[in-house]
Structure formats: structure tokens, C-alpha cells
Amino acid sequence: AGISSAATYISATLLLSTISKVYSTTWVLLPGISSLFLTLWFVNRYYLPFFRRLEITSIYTYLEYRYNILMRLFADFSFIGFHFIQLSLMIYLPASALSFIGGWSLILCISGMGLIATAYIYIGGIRQIIRFDRGQVICLVGGLSVIIIWSILDITSQDGGMAGVYRSGKIALIQNPWLSKD
């Protein structure tokens, strides 16, 4: 379940948007991305056992018990709205990359991805989703490892070794408008 939740949050959207932004501009966002693993560990270690002890299935049930039905409904609809937007992006970004690489229509790529996902969920159920997510995590972690190693080797060959990497990182921190003291 932990690997499956990690695969859900570390999607192709993360790889296509945030990682490329980190590589092309500055590595300041990388610690935030890396903290996702710590957050998922914390949730799986502490939050999920708490809900299991209470014999409830979600935070929304807890909100209803703790507060009232209006709080639960607000949280439910907020969750649905957020994930509607997130899932739209999770399908659109990989489909646009596939469309660009394969030369196919964007509508065809979106429809094909949706049909394939629906078919394997229908045929295999939750076990199939967990198996697929496990493979996705292996691909994502392997791909990220290759990207990080390749990037470091590329930077060290161009900028004068690890001292150059440190120097360029220091310059990027100074030039980053998010970290300015103004």
C-alpha cells in the first residue's frame, strides 16, 4: 500500500514538469520533491495505524466523528475537486509527450491511456493496481537515479569538478528570486 501511494503521487506529471524545471533552472526545488518520500513514510507509519485503531476507513469519516457532517462534506468535495484537476494533468502531460514523440493525435493518446487503465483495473482489480504501481515505482526511482547521476556527471565535466558544482549551486541560490531577502 505504501509503494502504491508513492507511485500515485510520484507520477509522470512530476517527472515531466517539476524535475525538468529543477534541472533547467535551479536545484532549490529538489529538497521539496525529496521530502515527499519522508511524508509518505510518516503517513504510512503513524496516520494509517491511527485510523486502523479507530476502525475507520478515511480521514473523512474521522472528520465527521470529530466535527460534523458539513465538515466531512466540505472535505469530500474539496478532495474530489483537487483530484479532478490533478488527474486531468496526470493524463494530459504524459499523453502530450506521447503524442509529440509518436506523432499521434492528442485525443487518441488520452483516450488510449484511459482505456488501457480502465481495462487493467477492471480485469485485475486492486491487486493489479498494486502490481502496476510497484513496477512504476521501480521505473521512476531507476529513471530518477539515472537522471541525477547523469546530471552530476555532466555538470562536473563542464564546470570543473565538484567544486564547480558547488560554485554553480551557490550562484543559483543567490540568484533565486524565491530566496531573496527583499
Side-chain angles (χ1 to χ4, degrees), residues 79-181:
F79 176 84
I80 290 168
F82 171 76
H83 281 282
F84 180 76
I85 294 168
Q86 183 186 25
L87 288 174
S88 300
L89 285 172
M90 284 181 166
I91 292 173
Y92 174 75
L93 285 175
S96 64
L98 187 63
S99 171
F100 178 77
I101 292 170
W104 301 304
S105 154
L106 182 61
I107 299 296
L108 178 70
C109 292
I110 291 172
S111 301
M113 288 172 57
L115 287 172
I116 290 170
T118 303
Y120 83 75
I121 290 169
Y122 179 75
I123 292 168
I126 193 70
R127 284 196 171 106
Q128 186 65 24
I129 293 171
I130 291 173
R131 284 186 198 116
F132 182 79
D133 286 347
R134 204 177 304 142
Q136 183 180 354
V137 165
I138 290 168
C139 289
L140 289 172
V141 170
L144 286 173
S145 301
V146 168
I147 289 170
I148 290 170
I149 292 168
W150 190 339
S151 301
I152 290 173
L153 292 175
D154 184 49
I155 291 171
T156 55
S157 67
Q158 292 178 6
D159 295 333
M162 287 308 286
V165 172
Y166 175 76
R167 194 170 40 256
S168 64
K170 191 173 176 183
I171 291 169
L173 284 173
I174 292 169
Q175 294 175 347
N176 189 343
W178 292 343
L179 298 176
S180 66
K181 295 184 182 190

